[in-house]
């Protein structure tokens, strides 16, 4: 009987998503560094998601080997969980060693089924635990929350770093757009050039870095990211319109980080247009499952890739074909 159904850890791993692959870029090292950091953050997150299944599959495999070895040495199965005498343990270890050699030989021949075992036996065991044990269910929700926070952090960091690189290496038009908008905001502000760091990038050579290091522009919220991308780039706003699910990711991340996952009015309003998330009562703990979490994470991956390619094409346009 299952008491805590609805987590669907399997879907976190199996739901089709966006490939976390390095992109082929034309603009060179600065953009490749930003893209590479984004990729590494996503790769680390994927590894984190898979780890419970890997641990479960490996533990079950090793237990099977030990049960087999105990049976072969003793001639009968045993429920004894402690260590046997030294001679028996040595014989059991030899039998396990032979199984390990056989698996290594299979792996070297390209016929190893380790990944299949992890994604079937391991995932199945985790799903069973989550459905039947309160502690496991709570831990899975903690994993889901962590994936949301990490996905948003990866995207937010990319968006800010990418914007800086774009203004450092892109066309002058981008810098002009930002400068004009920034001048609108500067009036009446508390900005004081005297408090700027002693070493600042030359705004004539690295305008984005100048703004970032002087803390003159913030891209710490989705609203600000959309605003400054729309300001700097012709077409920057449209990319966000075609990736509206990033709004859901931001809303879920914020309610986790600031309200410990308890739905407030801001969250309810923020997810109103997303059927998978709306309908929750005020002050209730939000519930996530593997499919929703993967969809939210994919929003960060997909939009991040599109922004990278958008900036790359602006810094280094594809040459027109000669006719």
């Amino acid at each position: 009987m299952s008491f805590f159904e609805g987590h669907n850890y399997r879907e976190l791993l199996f739901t089709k998503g966006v490939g976390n692959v390095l992109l082929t870029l034309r603009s060179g090292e600065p953009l490749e560094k930003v893209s590479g950091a984004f990729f590494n953050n996503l790769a680390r997150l994927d590894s984190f998601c898979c780890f419970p299944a890997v641990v479960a599959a490996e533990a079950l495999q090793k237990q099977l080997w030990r049960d087999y070895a105990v049976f072969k040495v003793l001639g009968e199965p045993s429920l004894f969980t402690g260590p046997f005498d030294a001679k028996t343990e040595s014989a059991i270890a030899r039998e396990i060693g032979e199984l390990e050699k056989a698996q290594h030989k299979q792996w070297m021949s390209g016929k190893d089924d380790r990944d299949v075992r992890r994604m079937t036996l391991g995932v199945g065991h985790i799903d069973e635990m989550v459905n039947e044990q309160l502690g496991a269910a709570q831990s899975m929700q903690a994993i889901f929350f962590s994936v949301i926070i990490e996905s948003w952090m990866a995207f937010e960091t990319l968006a800010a770093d990418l914007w800086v690189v774009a203004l450092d290496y892109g066309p002058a038009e981008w810098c002009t757009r930002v400068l004009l908008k920034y001048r609108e905001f500067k009036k009446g502000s508390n900005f004081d050039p005297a408090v700027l760091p002693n070493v600042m990038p030359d705004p004539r050579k690295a305008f984005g870095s100048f703004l970032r290091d002087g803390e003159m522009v913030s891209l710490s919220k989705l609203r600000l990211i959309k605003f400054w991308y729309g300001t700097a780039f012709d077409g920057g706003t449209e990319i966000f319109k075609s990736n509206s699910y990033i709004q859901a990711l931001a809303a879920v991340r914020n309610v986790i980080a600031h309200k410990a996952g308890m739905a407030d009015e801001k969250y309810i309003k923020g997810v109103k247009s997303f059927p998978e998330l709306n309908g929750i009562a005020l002050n209730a703990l939000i519930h996530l499952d593997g499919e929703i979490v993967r969809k939210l994470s994919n929003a960060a991956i997909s939009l991040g890739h599109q922004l990278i390619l958008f900036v790359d094409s602006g810094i280094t346009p594809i040459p027109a074909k000669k006719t």
Side-chain angles (χ1 to χ4, degrees), residues 179-312:
L179 181 59
L180 291 174
K181 184 61 66 174
Y182 175 74
R183 289 176 64 184
E184 293 180 18
F185 296 151
K186 184 179 177 181
K187 184 178 180 181
S189 72
N190 294 322
F191 172 71
D192 182 1
V195 301
L196 293 178
N198 292 328
V199 180
M200 288 287 292
D202 186 340
R204 296 169 299 178
K205 300 177 181 178
F207 188 54
S209 296
F210 174 77
L211 294 175
R212 177 196 59 200
D213 294 353
E215 299 182 355
M216 302 176 196
V217 171
S218 172
L219 287 87
S220 61
K221 299 179 180 179
L222 181 59
R223 173 179 57 82
L224 296 173
I225 293 172
K226 291 166 68 174
F227 175 82
W228 285 114
Y229 268 79
T231 296
F233 315 125
D234 184 19
T237 302
E238 297 304 316
I239 297 179
F240 289 90
K241 288 182 179 179
S242 62
N243 290 271
S244 61
Y245 214 75
I246 195 69
Q247 182 71 43
L249 173 62
V252 176
R253 177 268 173 193
N254 288 339
V255 80
I256 291 172
H258 298 289
K259 299 294 181 180
M262 306 299 290
D264 58 5
E265 293 181 355
K266 186 176 180 180
Y267 172 78
I268 293 173
K269 182 180 179 180
V271 300
K272 187 176 181 179
S273 58
F274 304 99
E276 304 94 329
L277 298 168
N278 63 22
I280 190 170
L282 183 65
N283 296 324
L285 179 66
I286 65 171
H287 176 77
L288 302 174
D289 64 31
E291 186 172 7
I292 291 175
V293 172
R294 173 53 63 186
K295 188 173 180 180
L296 291 167
S297 183
N298 282 344
I301 298 170
S302 177
L303 180 54
H305 282 187
Q306 289 182 47
L307 291 177
I308 292 170
L309 293 174
F310 177 82
V311 170
D312 185 42

Side-chain angles (χ1 to χ4, degrees), residues 4-5 34 92 95 104 161-162 171 217 246 253:
F4 307 104
E5 292 181 337
V34 173
I92 291 171
E95 293 296 337
H104 180 72
D161 291 348
L162 185 63
V217 171
I246 195 69
R253 177 268 173 193

Side-chain angles (χ1 to χ4, degrees), residues 26-38:
R26 300 185 304 279
S27 300
E29 183 179 358
L31 195 56
E32 288 172 352
K33 284 184 177 180
V34 173
S35 176
F38 184 54

Side-chain angles (χ1 to χ4, degrees), residues 61-78 84 87-100:
Q61 177 71 79
K62 290 184 182 299
Q63 185 61 56
L64 177 62
W65 283 353
R66 180 169 176 83
D67 291 343
Y68 170 84
V70 168
F71 182 81
K72 193 166 183 181
V73 171
L74 299 181
E76 60 182 6
S78 174
F84 295 97
K87 182 178 180 181
T88 302
E89 283 294 338
S90 179
I92 291 171
R94 285 196 296 271
E95 293 296 337
I96 293 175
E98 291 300 316
L99 293 172
E100 290 174 341

